[in-house]
Amino acid sequence: MNIDVINLGPMDNCIYLVSEGQDALLIDPAWDMNFLEHTLQEKGLRLLAVFFTHGHFDHVKFAQDLLEKHRLKGYMEKNDVILSGIDAHMLNAYSGEQTFDVGPFRVEIIPTPGHTAGGVCIKIGNALFTGDTLFPGACGRVDLPSSDPREMRRSLVKLSKLPEDTQIFAGHSYGGKCSSTIGYERVKNPFMRNAIRDAEAL
């Protein structure tokens, strides 16, 4: 499995192109659909599905154009459908933990509310696409509509229980870095450390 990190937009977004052979998935495509189309064509890839970690505009901007062109429905947790602004008929809305088999990919959905009510992390093999839930050294904002700091703490504790070698790929390259491992974040990320500490104190 190959993972291409595509940085687009004014907010340091990390868009992920996951491929196996000629089959591909896009995670959180936004901002420049022409560039994404060119990348798919240049690599000779067939887009099978689009997944969203959450519905904030900077992770979905212009994505409906891509879905319509490829005659696909995107996958999004139901609580973020309205937030996204994407027409509901263009989305496969789901709830809770899910596993989707798409071509050669087994896509596991881990609900991680906190940044938004419908925030999820997307696990494919040993790669975990964390959107705005978990960043290297940080976590997503919890002062926005539909955010919840208690839910964020619970989500961080949940992620901390994944295998240490799980590779994380965040939704933004804040500080120039978008990837890390669960093991590293468990030790070095103050937000995850504090969430674990609070959970253990209960």
Side-chain angles (χ1 to χ4, degrees), residues 5-201:
V5 185
I6 303 171
N7 295 105
L8 290 175
M11 301 175 73
D12 295 323
N13 281 77
C14 295
I15 293 145
Y16 296 100
L17 175 61
V18 183
S19 59
E20 186 77 49
Q22 302 308 116
D23 295 322
L25 308 176
L26 276 169
I27 296 174
D28 286 354
W31 298 105
D32 190 339
M33 297 304 112
N34 288 333
F35 183 85
L36 294 178
E37 290 285 1
H38 174 76
T39 302
L40 289 167
Q41 292 171 11
E42 185 177 52
K43 293 178 176 291
L45 296 173
R46 178 175 63 251
L47 184 61
L48 300 183
V50 172
F51 286 84
F52 298 100
T53 60
H54 64 293
H56 278 155
F57 81 95
D58 55 313
H59 293 260
V60 305
K61 194 170 181 67
F62 305 126
Q64 184 162 322
D65 296 341
L66 181 81
L67 295 173
E68 290 174 345
K69 180 172 182 177
H70 289 267
R71 299 182 180 180
L72 296 173
K73 288 188 175 184
Y75 290 81
M76 182 177 289
E77 209 281 338
K78 68 175 185 179
N79 285 301
D80 274 17
V81 170
I82 293 176
L83 177 66
S84 75
I86 296 175
D87 291 345
H89 75 276
M90 297 298 299
L91 294 170
N92 289 310
Y94 60 84
S95 179
E97 292 185 2
Q98 299 285 339
T99 300
F100 300 104
D101 289 313
V102 182
F105 307 101
R106 171 152 284 199
V107 181
E108 300 175 56
I109 302 296
I110 302 173
T112 53
H115 182 64
T116 66
V120 304
C121 292
I122 299 166
K123 190 172 187 294
I124 307 175
N126 195 46
L128 183 73
F129 302 93
T130 58
D132 287 4
T133 297
L134 178 64
F135 301 108
C139 71
R141 290 177 60 178
V142 291
D143 60 341
L144 302 169
S146 92
S147 295
D148 187 324
R150 290 186 179 87
E151 290 284 7
M152 176 62 83
R153 285 196 293 272
R154 283 192 279 267
S155 293
L156 292 175
V157 171
K158 182 190 294 186
L159 295 181
S160 76
K161 296 177 180 178
L162 293 172
E164 289 189 356
D165 65 347
T166 303
Q167 292 284 140
I168 72 164
F169 296 90
H172 298 269
S173 57
Y174 296 146
K177 186 178 180 183
C178 63
S179 63
S180 182
T181 66
I182 287 294
Y184 187 86
E185 296 307 306
R186 193 183 294 161
V187 174
K188 297 294 186 178
N189 187 316
F191 298 94
M192 181 172 276
R193 284 205 321 266
N194 290 340
I196 295 168
R197 181 201 61 200
D198 292 346
E200 290 174 345

